[in-house]
mmCIF file of all heavy atoms in Angstrom:
data_model
loop_
_atom_site.group_PDB
_atom_site.id
_atom_site.type_symbol
_atom_site.label_atom_id
_atom_site.label_comp_id
_atom_site.label_asym_id
_atom_site.label_seq_id
_atom_site.Cartn_x
_atom_site.Cartn_y
_atom_site.Cartn_z
ATOM 1 N N CYS A 217 54.527 15.888 10.261
ATOM 2 C CA CYS A 217 54.212 16.829 11.304
ATOM 3 C C CYS A 217 52.692 16.706 11.495
ATOM 4 O O CYS A 217 51.916 16.847 10.522
ATOM 5 C CB CYS A 217 54.607 18.192 10.996
ATOM 6 S SG CYS A 217 53.999 19.457 12.175
ATOM 7 N N TRP A 218 52.244 16.531 12.744
ATOM 8 C CA TRP A 218 50.846 16.223 12.998
ATOM 9 C C TRP A 218 49.845 17.283 12.314
ATOM 10 O O TRP A 218 48.670 16.901 11.997
ATOM 11 C CB TRP A 218 50.583 16.083 14.450
ATOM 12 C CG TRP A 218 50.707 17.367 15.247
ATOM 13 C CD1 TRP A 218 51.872 17.906 15.791
ATOM 14 C CD2 TRP A 218 49.753 18.376 15.516
ATOM 15 N NE1 TRP A 218 51.611 19.102 16.367
ATOM 16 C CE2 TRP A 218 50.304 19.402 16.235
ATOM 17 C CE3 TRP A 218 48.286 18.413 15.150
ATOM 18 C CZ2 TRP A 218 49.577 20.591 16.647
ATOM 19 C CZ3 TRP A 218 47.614 19.520 15.639
ATOM 20 C CH2 TRP A 218 48.233 20.651 16.346
ATOM 21 N N ALA A 219 50.279 18.538 12.328
ATOM 22 C CA ALA A 219 49.419 19.610 11.821
ATOM 23 C C ALA A 219 49.424 19.778 10.338
ATOM 24 O O ALA A 219 48.624 20.546 9.790
ATOM 25 C CB ALA A 219 49.651 20.896 12.550
ATOM 26 N N SER A 220 50.306 19.094 9.662
ATOM 27 C CA SER A 220 50.474 19.288 8.181
ATOM 28 C C SER A 220 49.339 18.691 7.404
ATOM 29 O O SER A 220 49.017 17.500 7.508
ATOM 30 C CB SER A 220 51.756 18.622 7.770
ATOM 31 O OG SER A 220 51.801 18.569 6.314
ATOM 32 N N LEU A 244 59.982 20.417 13.254
ATOM 33 C CA LEU A 244 60.420 21.200 12.055
ATOM 34 C C LEU A 244 61.395 22.282 12.371
ATOM 35 O O LEU A 244 61.997 22.826 11.453
ATOM 36 C CB LEU A 244 59.142 21.750 11.437
ATOM 37 C CG LEU A 244 58.087 20.744 10.916
ATOM 38 C CD1 LEU A 244 56.999 21.387 10.242
ATOM 39 C CD2 LEU A 244 58.703 19.644 10.108
ATOM 40 N N MET A 245 61.579 22.577 13.685
ATOM 41 C CA MET A 245 62.619 23.550 13.991
ATOM 42 C C MET A 245 63.989 22.843 14.169
ATOM 43 O O MET A 245 65.024 23.459 14.098
ATOM 44 C CB MET A 245 62.292 24.147 15.393
ATOM 45 C CG MET A 245 60.919 24.983 15.324
ATOM 46 S SD MET A 245 61.029 26.420 14.139
ATOM 47 C CE MET A 245 59.884 25.808 12.920
ATOM 48 N N TRP A 321 46.938 33.127 7.042
ATOM 49 C CA TRP A 321 47.528 33.148 8.394
ATOM 50 C C TRP A 321 48.891 33.688 8.433
ATOM 51 O O TRP A 321 49.364 34.179 9.535
ATOM 52 C CB TRP A 321 47.344 31.825 9.168
ATOM 53 C CG TRP A 321 48.232 30.680 8.603
ATOM 54 C CD1 TRP A 321 47.927 29.690 7.847
ATOM 55 C CD2 TRP A 321 49.559 30.382 9.134
ATOM 56 N NE1 TRP A 321 48.958 28.863 7.663
ATOM 57 C CE2 TRP A 321 49.983 29.290 8.447
ATOM 58 C CE3 TRP A 321 50.436 31.038 9.941
ATOM 59 C CZ2 TRP A 321 51.261 28.648 8.560
ATOM 60 C CZ3 TRP A 321 51.718 30.434 10.136
ATOM 61 C CH2 TRP A 321 52.151 29.303 9.498
ATOM 62 N N TRP A 370 41.606 22.559 8.984
ATOM 63 C CA TRP A 370 42.213 23.904 8.875
ATOM 64 C C TRP A 370 41.192 25.031 8.634
ATOM 65 O O TRP A 370 41.520 26.203 8.692
ATOM 66 C CB TRP A 370 43.205 23.909 7.761
ATOM 67 C CG TRP A 370 44.605 23.381 8.173
ATOM 68 C CD1 TRP A 370 44.868 22.079 8.203
ATOM 69 C CD2 TRP A 370 45.673 24.197 8.566
ATOM 70 N NE1 TRP A 370 46.255 21.991 8.732
ATOM 71 C CE2 TRP A 370 46.724 23.246 8.941
ATOM 72 C CE3 TRP A 370 45.907 25.490 8.706
ATOM 73 C CZ2 TRP A 370 47.995 23.655 9.268
ATOM 74 C CZ3 TRP A 370 47.218 25.955 9.075
ATOM 75 C CH2 TRP A 370 48.177 25.003 9.416
ATOM 76 N N THR A 373 41.015 27.819 11.269
ATOM 77 C CA THR A 373 42.183 28.716 11.197
ATOM 78 C C THR A 373 42.020 29.682 10.097
ATOM 79 O O THR A 373 42.151 30.953 10.270
ATOM 80 C CB THR A 373 43.437 27.856 11.012
ATOM 81 O OG1 THR A 373 43.646 27.041 12.219
ATOM 82 C CG2 THR A 373 44.715 28.746 10.827
ATOM 83 N N PRO A 409 40.429 20.694 14.971
ATOM 84 C CA PRO A 409 40.714 22.033 14.343
ATOM 85 C C PRO A 409 41.197 23.066 15.456
ATOM 86 O O PRO A 409 41.971 23.882 15.095
ATOM 87 C CB PRO A 409 39.259 22.402 13.708
ATOM 88 C CG PRO A 409 38.601 21.116 13.521
ATOM 89 C CD PRO A 409 39.137 20.207 14.669
ATOM 90 N N GLY A 410 40.688 22.884 16.624
ATOM 91 C CA GLY A 410 41.097 23.792 17.703
ATOM 92 C C GLY A 410 42.637 23.739 18.008
ATOM 93 O O GLY A 410 43.293 24.702 18.273
ATOM 94 N N LYS A 411 43.141 22.530 17.983
ATOM 95 C CA LYS A 411 44.544 22.342 18.220
ATOM 96 C C LYS A 411 45.376 22.946 17.035
ATOM 97 O O LYS A 411 46.464 23.428 17.210
ATOM 98 C CB LYS A 411 44.861 20.853 18.395
ATOM 99 C CG LYS A 411 44.269 20.265 19.761
ATOM 100 C CD LYS A 411 44.698 18.918 19.974
ATOM 101 C CE LYS A 411 44.229 18.396 21.356
ATOM 102 N NZ LYS A 411 44.554 16.938 21.539
ATOM 103 N N VAL A 412 44.815 22.727 15.850
ATOM 104 C CA VAL A 412 45.566 23.275 14.622
ATOM 105 C C VAL A 412 45.584 24.816 14.752
ATOM 106 O O VAL A 412 46.632 25.479 14.532
ATOM 107 C CB VAL A 412 44.785 22.953 13.350
ATOM 108 C CG1 VAL A 412 45.408 23.657 12.135
ATOM 109 C CG2 VAL A 412 44.973 21.484 13.150
ATOM 110 N N TYR A 413 44.493 25.415 15.248
ATOM 111 C CA TYR A 413 44.427 26.799 15.394
ATOM 112 C C TYR A 413 45.471 27.320 16.464
ATOM 113 O O TYR A 413 46.149 28.308 16.168
ATOM 114 C CB TYR A 413 43.038 27.324 15.776
ATOM 115 C CG TYR A 413 42.869 28.744 16.101
ATOM 116 C CD1 TYR A 413 42.904 29.737 15.020
ATOM 117 C CD2 TYR A 413 42.746 29.215 17.394
ATOM 118 C CE1 TYR A 413 42.714 31.040 15.300
ATOM 119 C CE2 TYR A 413 42.668 30.588 17.628
ATOM 120 C CZ TYR A 413 42.635 31.458 16.639
ATOM 121 O OH TYR A 413 42.517 32.875 16.962
ATOM 122 N N GLU A 414 45.545 26.617 17.510
ATOM 123 C CA GLU A 414 46.554 26.919 18.572
ATOM 124 C C GLU A 414 47.913 26.783 18.068
ATOM 125 O O GLU A 414 48.831 27.666 18.406
ATOM 126 C CB GLU A 414 46.336 26.050 19.781
ATOM 127 C CG GLU A 414 45.042 26.297 20.580
ATOM 128 C CD GLU A 414 44.787 25.247 21.569
ATOM 129 O OE1 GLU A 414 45.680 24.338 21.853
ATOM 130 O OE2 GLU A 414 43.751 25.322 22.302
ATOM 131 N N PHE A 415 48.181 25.799 17.198
ATOM 132 C CA PHE A 415 49.519 25.598 16.693
ATOM 133 C C PHE A 415 49.855 26.810 15.740
ATOM 134 O O PHE A 415 50.959 27.276 15.776
ATOM 135 C CB PHE A 415 49.483 24.263 15.914
ATOM 136 C CG PHE A 415 50.798 24.024 15.091
ATOM 137 C CD1 PHE A 415 51.905 23.526 15.634
ATOM 138 C CD2 PHE A 415 50.748 24.216 13.714
ATOM 139 C CE1 PHE A 415 53.044 23.358 14.892
ATOM 140 C CE2 PHE A 415 51.850 24.020 12.909
ATOM 141 C CZ PHE A 415 53.004 23.530 13.534
ATOM 142 N N VAL A 416 48.934 27.212 14.980
ATOM 143 C CA VAL A 416 49.179 28.326 14.061
ATOM 144 C C VAL A 416 49.404 29.623 14.815
ATOM 145 O O VAL A 416 50.289 30.370 14.447
ATOM 146 C CB VAL A 416 47.969 28.494 13.070
ATOM 147 C CG1 VAL A 416 48.102 29.838 12.249
ATOM 148 C CG2 VAL A 416 47.923 27.343 12.092
ATOM 149 N N CYS A 417 48.658 29.859 15.887
ATOM 150 C CA CYS A 417 48.927 31.029 16.681
ATOM 151 C C CYS A 417 50.255 31.011 17.280
ATOM 152 O O CYS A 417 50.955 32.055 17.297
ATOM 153 C CB CYS A 417 47.807 31.079 17.872
ATOM 154 S SG CYS A 417 46.123 31.430 17.322
ATOM 155 N N PHE A 418 50.757 29.863 17.690
ATOM 156 C CA PHE A 418 52.147 29.725 18.191
ATOM 157 C C PHE A 418 53.111 30.074 17.131
ATOM 158 O O PHE A 418 54.158 30.777 17.312
ATOM 159 C CB PHE A 418 52.299 28.329 18.703
ATOM 160 C CG PHE A 418 53.752 27.965 18.989
ATOM 161 C CD1 PHE A 418 54.365 28.489 20.221
ATOM 162 C CD2 PHE A 418 54.538 27.154 18.243
ATOM 163 C CE1 PHE A 418 55.642 28.134 20.500
ATOM 164 C CE2 PHE A 418 55.870 26.850 18.573
ATOM 165 C CZ PHE A 418 56.419 27.362 19.656
ATOM 166 N N MET A 419 52.902 29.526 15.889
ATOM 167 C CA MET A 419 53.834 29.747 14.696
ATOM 168 C C MET A 419 53.804 31.251 14.398
ATOM 169 O O MET A 419 54.910 31.857 14.087
ATOM 170 C CB MET A 419 53.375 28.932 13.536
ATOM 171 C CG MET A 419 53.481 27.522 13.664
ATOM 172 S SD MET A 419 55.226 26.908 13.959
ATOM 173 C CE MET A 419 55.827 27.133 12.312
ATOM 174 N N ARG A 420 52.666 31.945 14.380
ATOM 175 C CA ARG A 420 52.639 33.348 14.140
ATOM 176 C C ARG A 420 53.476 34.161 15.128
ATOM 177 O O ARG A 420 54.132 35.116 14.737
ATOM 178 C CB ARG A 420 51.180 33.838 14.181
ATOM 179 C CG ARG A 420 50.401 33.566 12.826
ATOM 180 C CD ARG A 420 48.928 34.000 12.981
ATOM 181 N NE ARG A 420 48.795 35.376 13.307
ATOM 182 C CZ ARG A 420 48.745 36.335 12.417
ATOM 183 N NH1 ARG A 420 48.880 36.016 11.063
ATOM 184 N NH2 ARG A 420 48.697 37.615 12.672
ATOM 185 N N LYS A 421 53.439 33.761 16.391
ATOM 186 C CA LYS A 421 54.258 34.433 17.324
ATOM 187 C C LYS A 421 55.743 34.186 17.093
ATOM 188 O O LYS A 421 56.511 35.186 17.134
ATOM 189 C CB LYS A 421 53.878 33.985 18.742
ATOM 190 C CG LYS A 421 52.603 34.513 19.300
ATOM 191 C CD LYS A 421 52.253 33.928 20.665
ATOM 192 C CE LYS A 421 50.924 34.444 21.152
ATOM 193 N NZ LYS A 421 50.579 33.882 22.505
ATOM 194 N N MET A 422 56.021 33.068 16.641
ATOM 195 C CA MET A 422 57.453 32.697 16.368
ATOM 196 C C MET A 422 57.895 33.572 15.224
ATOM 197 O O MET A 422 59.068 34.003 15.060
ATOM 198 C CB MET A 422 57.623 31.207 16.032
ATOM 199 C CG MET A 422 57.584 30.263 17.189
ATOM 200 S SD MET A 422 58.196 28.678 16.813
ATOM 201 C CE MET A 422 59.840 28.924 16.202
#
Side-chain angles (χ1 to χ4, degrees):
C217 169
W218 68 270
S220 167
L244 301 184
M245 299 296 108
W321 67 265
W370 278 80
T373 297
K411 291 184 177 179
V412 173
Y413 177 74
E414 290 173 3
F415 173 78
V416 170
C417 290
F418 170 74
M419 294 296 288
R420 279 176 59 86
K421 287 181 182 177
M422 283 193 62

